[in-house]
Amino acid sequence: MKSLNKILTGIVGIALSFLAGAILIKLQGNSPIDAYRALFDYGLVSWFSLSSTLNNATPLILTGMAAAIAFSSNVVNLGEPGQLIVGALTAALLGYYLPIPGIIGIFVILIISGIVGGLYGGLAGVLKKYYKMDEFITTLMLNFIADYFTLYLATYPFLDKNSYVPATRMIKKEFFLPTINGINISFFIAIFMVFVSSFVVTYLKKGYEWRMMGYNYNFSKIGGCENEENLIWVMFYTGFLSGLAGALLILGGTQHRFTKGIGANYGWDGVMLAIVGGNGVVETSVFAIFFGFLKAGGIGMEFEVSIPSEFTMVLQAIIVLLVVATRSTISYYSDKIRASLKVQRVVKSSE
């Protein structure tokens, strides 16, 4: 029921954001109807547009889940961008140098890239446990380290001499992830991780302790949960998801190499998705597909109506604000109504 409420309030917020977006489009002198028609044509109507939406949603599903699991565990992991690009660089290097062939090689690349991302995320947890450093600060700073260090590696020691921009060599073609009717296999890997993450959070002891830590940190500690150790595990697992997202960008993307800016805004979009999805694994994944639709459809708005594709980023920000506002408003008034009805029942029973 809670999942349904999160999705429904999200839909209401999205509807209001589209209305606000229409006003902005009209103020620019364009037709909101034509703009949104192009958005749907390029993001949903045809099989090609639908496949583009799902492919765009793949890294968002993973980074969104990473942020959602962290936030629901009372852990502030803002390091998804850094964890994603270290996973991407790891996949790019393994994809070129790894001697293991075929499917086994792909599996090894994905696992190792995820582990590297997890270790990079877990570093913030270690700093929190042993040096009491706030993970809010450390994860942000680790993003900068990852960004500049991976850029250095791609620019100097692992630079492709034939490239005109900082980029590694292309991975071996045997490591390219195939597509099924236009949908890359990486999307199905991301969906598989949705089920895995949902199982971990819902049914495993560690997942239960993570949720209790999110509900009440002090209560969970008094109840016997090893909160500091769990924080490290949360950081590792969410870093693993982000690192896996980076690996899928390399193996299932279009360039098949690490380049400057390959992470785009996938990491920060994941944070926004967790907020919109109310920190639920499934709910966040549903909205990730919607954000993938916006990314695919935004290209159509630019081509057909000459509205910059960056407008979709503005729309995403509006969606986050209005979804949170809608959810908070509905929660406030529903609690107020329930309290009022309860008071009335108590008064009647006492008469």
Side-chain angles (χ1 to χ4, degrees):
M1 193 64 175
K2 289 183 179 180
S3 298
L4 182 61
N5 287 337
K6 290 178 182 178
I7 292 175
L8 289 177
T9 53
I11 291 173
V12 172
I14 287 170
L16 292 175
S17 66
F18 268 83
L19 179 60
I23 295 173
L24 292 177
I25 293 172
K26 190 65 178 177
L27 290 175
Q28 291 179 341
N30 294 307
S31 169
I33 296 175
D34 292 340
Y36 286 148
R37 183 185 294 115
L39 180 71
F40 278 87
D41 285 344
Y42 278 73
L44 194 62
V45 173
S46 67
W47 182 256
F48 175 79
S49 58
L50 178 60
S51 61
S52 296
T53 290
L54 298 181
N55 290 333
N56 277 310
T58 298
L60 295 174
I61 292 172
L62 293 168
T63 57
M65 276 197 302
I69 292 172
F71 294 163
S72 65
S73 303
N74 199 23
V75 176
V76 183
N77 181 9
L78 298 180
E80 286 84 4
Q83 294 148 19
L84 183 146
I85 59 175
V86 297
L89 180 64
T90 302
L93 296 180
L94 289 174
Y96 182 78
Y97 293 104
L98 189 70
I100 303 174
I103 296 177
I104 298 176
I106 291 174
F107 180 78
V108 170
I109 292 171
L110 293 177
I111 294 298
I112 293 179
S113 299
I115 290 174
V116 171
L119 292 174
Y120 198 69
L123 178 60
V126 172
L127 293 173
K128 176 66 175 285
K129 179 177 180 179
Y130 293 103
Y131 300 100
K132 309 305 177 186
M133 297 176 67
D134 195 323
E135 72 274 16
F136 178 90
I137 301 298
T138 54
T139 52
L140 279 177
M141 294 302 101
L142 286 170
N143 284 336
F144 289 101
I145 295 173
D147 193 15
Y148 290 113
F149 184 63
T150 55
L151 180 58
Y152 162 77
L153 293 177
T155 304
Y156 295 102
F158 299 109
L159 175 67
D160 181 1
K161 302 300 182 182
N162 297 319
S163 176
Y164 294 100
V165 296
T168 60
R169 296 176 179 88
M170 184 179 291
I171 65 173
K172 299 173 184 176
K173 290 186 178 181
E174 59 186 306
F175 295 140
F176 289 12
L177 289 176
T179 59
I180 300 175
N181 293 328
I183 303 174
N184 195 271
I185 291 293
S186 58
F187 172 75
F188 300 103
I189 296 174
I191 295 299
F192 172 74
M193 290 307 301
V194 173
F195 288 101
V196 171
S197 299
S198 183
F199 178 82
V200 168
V201 172
T202 306
Y203 296 105
L204 293 189
K205 179 185 175 183
K206 276 293 180 187
Y208 172 78
E209 291 184 353
W210 296 353
R211 286 188 288 115
M212 291 303 103
M213 191 167 67
Y215 290 143
N216 191 311
Y217 187 89
N218 293 327
F219 177 80
S220 63
K221 190 171 185 178
I222 294 172
C225 296
E226 298 290 341
N227 285 355
E228 292 182 338
E229 180 182 332
N230 283 329
L231 185 143
I232 296 176
W233 280 110
V234 169
M235 293 298 298
F236 175 82
Y237 184 73
T238 55
F240 177 90
L241 292 175
S242 297
L244 180 61
L248 292 177
L249 281 174
I250 300 296
L251 273 61
T254 55
Q255 298 182 346
H256 300 292
R257 67 176 74 207
F258 183 91
T259 60
K260 180 182 179 181
I262 191 171
N265 290 318
Y266 290 122
W268 297 118
D269 286 349
V271 174
M272 289 196 295
L273 283 165
I275 296 171
V276 174
N279 298 333
V281 170
V282 176
E283 299 91 324
T284 300
S285 301
V286 171
F287 287 114
I289 295 175
F290 176 74
F291 270 42
F293 157 74
L294 291 179
K295 288 183 179 295
I299 297 174
M301 293 175 69
E302 187 168 23
F303 284 165
E304 302 293 338
V305 197
S306 299
I307 295 176
S309 58
E310 288 78 11
F311 175 78
T312 59
M313 298 176 65
V314 176
L315 195 59
Q316 288 175 8
I318 296 174
I319 287 171
V320 173
L321 291 173
L322 291 181
V323 165
V324 173
T326 302
R327 187 171 292 147
S328 299
T329 302
I330 292 175
S331 176
Y332 172 78
Y333 283 105
S334 61
D335 289 344
K336 191 173 182 178
I337 291 171
R338 280 197 296 267
S340 177
L341 293 174
K342 189 173 182 179
V343 169
Q344 290 178 11
R345 285 197 298 268
V346 171
V347 171
K348 287 183 179 179
S349 62
S350 63
E351 290 177 351

